[in-house]
Amino acid sequence: MAEEVGAIVAQLDQARELAFSNTEMFPQVVKQILNLVNHPSIEIQRWCGLFLKKAFTSEPKEVPKGVIIDLAIDALVPAKTLAQTKDLEVFKAVIDLSIILYKLVFSYVADNDGSHAIWDSLRNLKNDLITKFDSQFPFEPSYDKEHDQVRNLDAKLELLKFLFTVIDYQSRSSSTRFYSLARVNPQHTLIKQGPMEAEALALLEKVLAPIQDEILVTPLVTAVMNHLAVVVRRKRQFLDRVIPVLESFESNSKLQSNYESLEAFKLSKKYCDRTLRCLLNYMSKSQIIPPAYQNAVNRKIATLTSRGDDIRKKNILEASPDDTNIKKRKYEGFENPSKKIKTLDYKHLYGLTDVNSDLNNFDLSTLPQHILVSMALTALQRADVKRLAAALEIVSSRYSEVVKGMSQVKSEAATGDDEEDDDDAAENFTSETTYTVPPPKSLSFQEKKEHVKMIVDNFFGLSEKNGDSQEIVKKQDNGSVSKELTKVAVKTWNRDSWLLLLTRLATRGMYTIDGDESSQDVAQNEQLSDIIRQALFDYFLANIHERVDTTIEWLNEEWYSEKVTNEEKLRDEIREKWQQKYESDPNSVDDMERKIEQEVASTPVDTPRYNKWCQKVLDAMIPFLEPTDRKIFLRMISDLPYLNEKMLSGVKSLCADPARSKLGFLALQFLVMYRPPIKEACFNVLRELQSSDQEDLKEEASKLLTKYGQ
Amino acid sequence: MESHKQLRDAGFEVSSFGTGSSVKLPGPSIDRPNVYEFGTPYEQIYQDLISQEYRKMYEANGLILMLDRNRQVKRAPEKWHANAAAGKFDLVITCEERCFDSVLEDLMMRMNNKSEEEEAKDVRQVVHVINVDIKDDNENAKIGGKGIVKLVKMINEYREKEKQRKVDEGQEDQYPVIMEDEIMKILTEWQRDHVHLPTLYSASYY
């Protein structure tokens, strides 16, 4: 591999000489290099990155602009590929390359509306690099956000260039001197003004973040300030955002980082203040500060100048009474985050504080058990979940490392001289031996019934406890971990969740795929399901008026499950029939699938189980209806998924009852108006009533029949 | 120029510039300096001063010696603001706060003053600007020059020293040593040993 890479690099060096000395060969060489970025060798990827950066930043003058743009378009995907390489040198080269590609391709797309694929590639590359500004790429993040803030600055300083380039191109400029969004056709279908400007503003917020942070990362803060010189000159529309941020920058209110000494912090403040003053002076001389801000900016400059004069007169590294005003940022990392331990003991395995801390020498086993338990529980309750998870990850890595080492030791010992005892042990152990847990004993049908009843009782018990949910949450307010667990549980459980579970259990959970009705298993499962259904029915009976909604929900679930199941069964039967017909006489069956669908659609699908339970519900409900129950009854008959003539017999009995006939006729009228499939059945009921010997029934029925279509 | 000489003698690749509008050298009195355009060869300045009637004064205050040194280092004084032909630098060291401000402002100006064609194919480069405040006389220039050489050496050698320290202390951190991450430590360490040479620092681009 090493020799191969060396040979390739030698060839690549020749190719580079050729490309830059012979203009005609340049495009071909570049294209060949673009194909090479996927090579697994980091060295070759680095070579490609540096070559492409040079190719696009200092290409030979004789190469036509159009050729460069074509190559830039071809380079978008390879650039994104290289951007995933975890190597700082490659990454920096890719950033510079991407800046050029972005400028070239953006203006190309602007001039060639409809370049969807090219625009997508450019956006993918852009979004990838923007995302990396908030990460530690090309390195791994540590366990402390602050630690990550103060390092990998090389990559971040480079990425700032890309972010500022995107801000520049995606927002309008105050002048027409440089390329900007202002030059893009407002009707462009891909580069839309609004979203582009909005994204530029969002990126501006991102680059302003280091200035507003609570600590000072001096290279980053000063780099942002210096770079803002471009934004403030070209994008006057952003001044309303930038100037307040600069004005409110106050180094004396920043916190000292845990990763810098007090002396370094003092120097940091001095450096950042000086850079800010330079920027504000530059803005002032350029006459770009709006009148509304001029007084504030002048005051800021005066303050910074005065502070600088004071500093010049003394040695700021010396201890000073002012040092007491300096506060440190709260430490959130681990003092000892190493994933390898040198000493094999529990202290080093679990210790995340300073290895040399005296606290680590305290012997906790001298404390009484109940105090230890109390301390542990309190600590767990207070621990931040993410932090605890990170800590456990460190301990886990250490443990894995140790175990790995120990297993190696064992394997070494295993290769030593064997003794008789070892031989005996080896004989007893066979690697092919697999141990299995015996299968669980099958439940008898009677036992199954008892378990189903137990489950049902538990669910109904749960429904009685709905009122306690809030109490449960409140009781755990002090413990964050417990609170989180309880909160999660409660969030997934609401007042009617128990109904949904029982309903699904009855209608689907007990269902057997093999639908042989004569099978004993099917019959037994049906009995088990009916246990649940009877429980739901009894629940409805206990309080009809308040449980109409839950019952409607159950019956809808019943109908739907049965409908889907039976329709599937019907389709299978019809398909089998047409299959046989096709096999006996292929010519007589021209389009089998269409015929199957036609027959399925024209064949009624019955729901006898639903019909049975729906009938029971109506029969149980109607005798107890009062004239004032109009609302719940109408809701019931309007929301039930299916009604037939037999079910309407109950309504008929309502009409015959003088005290409730109004409710009965109102229900029939409602059904005629709003449930066309049942209209004919309603008319039949009305005709029966019309032929009765009671004059008032006859009259009311005739009226409805006349009005609604007879 | 003293720093240029010492850095060059120490083996670094170095250029030097002035930030004023012209080259000013002490004259017969404080209100009558000798003024030359940037680009005037040191040899010419040297000959001009030698031919003046105040030659003895110039020899006494070290001016002649300084010019003799300068012409050995390079041909002529160069103006910072017109140094585009010299390429871009990683590190710029100034010796006076006014010069530091002037350089930062010039870098801001350059980012905004490229032609459109230059802008379209330009990739800005990070540059670290450090000011080491040196009093403007011969003796302090020598002291400051030594300090600057020390600082540049520390920046250059910090990576190796830090790597060695990590090995000695047994740190398994695979994180590399990045100069930008360490610049504040370097400056703090250097400043502690050179309290009489106050510093300024800023990261910029051009």
Side-chain angles (χ1 to χ4, degrees), chain B residues 29-73:
Chain B
S29 61
I30 197 155
D31 60 339
R32 292 170 54 198
N34 287 293
V35 178
Y36 302 91
E37 293 293 322
F38 275 103
T40 308
Y42 285 117
E43 177 64 30
Q44 184 175 317
I45 298 174
Y46 176 88
Q47 295 297 337
D48 184 58
L49 294 186
I50 287 182
S51 67
Q52 290 184 18
E53 59 179 309
Y54 298 99
R55 167 182 174 171
K56 281 186 170 29
M57 177 193 297
Y58 296 151
E59 285 180 357
N61 67 11
L63 192 54
I64 299 296
L65 194 63
M66 183 191 80
L67 288 169
D68 191 38
R69 173 203 69 193
N70 289 4
R71 62 179 180 171
Q72 314 290 338
V73 174

Side-chain angles (χ1 to χ4, degrees), chain A residues 66-78:
Chain A
V67 171
I68 296 293
I69 292 177
D70 284 344
L71 293 173
I73 292 170
D74 292 341
L76 291 174
V77 172

Side-chain angles (χ1 to χ4, degrees), chain A residues 57 59 88 96 100 103 136 139 151-154 157-158 160-161 168 177-178 183 218-219 222-223 226-227 229-230 233-234 261 263-264 267-268 270-271 274-275 277-279 282 285 312 315 317 338 340, chain B residues 97-98 100-101 104-105 108-109 111-116 119-126 128 133 169-170 172-173 175-176 178 180-181 183-185 187-188 191-192 195 198-205:
Chain A
T57 57
E59 78 277 5
L88 182 59
D96 285 355
I100 297 296
K103 294 178 182 180
Q136 286 299 99
F139 306 111
R151 58 180 193 168
N152 195 25
L153 299 182
D154 204 354
L157 294 180
E158 298 291 331
L160 265 185
K161 301 179 337 193
D168 196 10
R177 180 173 176 186
F178 297 107
R183 296 192 186 183
T218 304
T222 57
N226 283 304
H227 231 133
V230 176
R233 283 294 296 274
R234 301 185 189 182
S261 64
E263 293 169 326
L267 288 177
S268 276
K270 179 186 177 187
Y271 297 163
R274 189 61 179 233
T275 304
R277 197 186 82 161
C278 288
L279 174 59
Y282 174 77
K285 289 180 187 176
R312 193 177 302 111
N315 172 18
L317 296 191
S338 172
K340 296 179 181 177
Chain B
E97 287 190 356
R98 281 189 310 107
F100 177 83
D101 294 346
L104 280 198
E105 189 174 316
M108 295 177 185
M109 198 76 67
M111 283 196 276
N112 275 307
N113 283 350
K114 297 186 173 73
S115 72
E116 177 170 350
E119 177 82 13
K121 52 192 289 182
D122 178 62
V123 179
R124 297 179 187 130
Q125 179 176 314
V126 178
H128 300 274
D133 218 39
E169 294 186 4
E172 302 88 6
D173 189 355
Y175 210 89
I178 298 174
E180 285 77 5
D181 293 1
I183 186 67
M184 288 307 299
K185 286 178 186 163
L187 287 167
T188 305
Q191 186 78 97
R192 199 182 295 123
V195 293
T199 53
L200 292 170
Y201 165 78
S202 191
S204 187
Y205 304 83

Side-chain angles (χ1 to χ4, degrees), chain A residues 641-661:
Chain A
Y642 170 78
L643 290 168
N644 60 20
E645 192 152 358
K646 186 164 181 285
M647 294 170 188
L648 292 181
S649 62
V651 179
K652 181 182 169 193
S653 70
L654 274 180
C655 298
D657 184 340
R660 304 183 297 173
S661 69

